[in-house]
Amino acid sequence: MQLVESGGGFVQAGGSLRLSCSVSGFPDDDVTVGWFRQAPGKEREGVACFSQGDGSAHYADFVKGRFTISSDSSKNTVYLQMNNLRADDTAVYYCAADPLDRTTLTENAFDDWGQGTQVTVSS
């Protein structure tokens, strides 16, 4: 199983970025793909997740109304559209897969992780 993130970069506060997570190698298409982030000196935290089984999404409170998670099954890719970025969104962003498709941001539900992509927001 493999997950590869892309789309990170440097942006000014108020700007936007779209992260992509390419997912491959899962025997079952019904997995939950989640986005997590880890800022310097802080613990990793859940951002958003998407169930490829039923199309439902779940967001952390601190991104509601700013971030949108979506999936393109034809490309086996899950996206995280991030708008109105703030300096405190600066972090390494990881995608991960929960093969039991539980639509949760509980980190230990996720078995497979990507390497991460850096997002830096200047104030």
Side-chain angles (χ1 to χ4, degrees):
M1 283 68 78
Q2 187 176 25
L3 299 98
V4 179
E5 304 94 338
S6 61
F10 183 92
V11 64
Q12 291 187 334
S16 299
L17 283 174
R18 188 178 77 160
L19 305 183
S20 299
C21 175
S22 176
V23 181
S24 62
F26 287 87
D28 186 345
D29 290 340
D30 291 345
V31 297
T32 287
V33 177
W35 284 98
F36 295 79
R37 69 185 188 184
Q38 187 166 23
K42 295 187 178 180
E43 293 188 353
R44 190 158 55 189
E45 59 184 356
V47 175
C49 63
F50 185 92
S51 165
Q52 299 197 355
D54 64 14
S56 61
H58 177 63
Y59 295 90
D61 287 343
F62 55 80
V63 301
K64 285 181 179 177
R66 300 190 299 127
F67 292 9
T68 303
I69 191 169
S70 62
S71 175
D72 184 340
S73 59
S74 69
K75 296 180 180 179
N76 293 320
T77 300
V78 174
Y79 302 98
L80 184 68
Q81 178 66 43
M82 305 186 295
N83 298 328
N84 193 21
L85 283 161
R86 309 183 305 219
D88 61 0
D89 293 317
T90 295
V92 178
Y93 284 71
Y94 301 89
C95 66
D98 168 16
L100 298 184
D101 199 20
R102 287 168 282 190
T103 323
T104 177
L105 286 175
T106 302
E107 190 170 327
N108 62 15
F110 292 82
D111 294 339
D112 297 281
W113 293 78
Q115 293 300 305
T117 186
Q118 176 70 47
V119 171
T120 303
V121 184
S122 66
S123 58

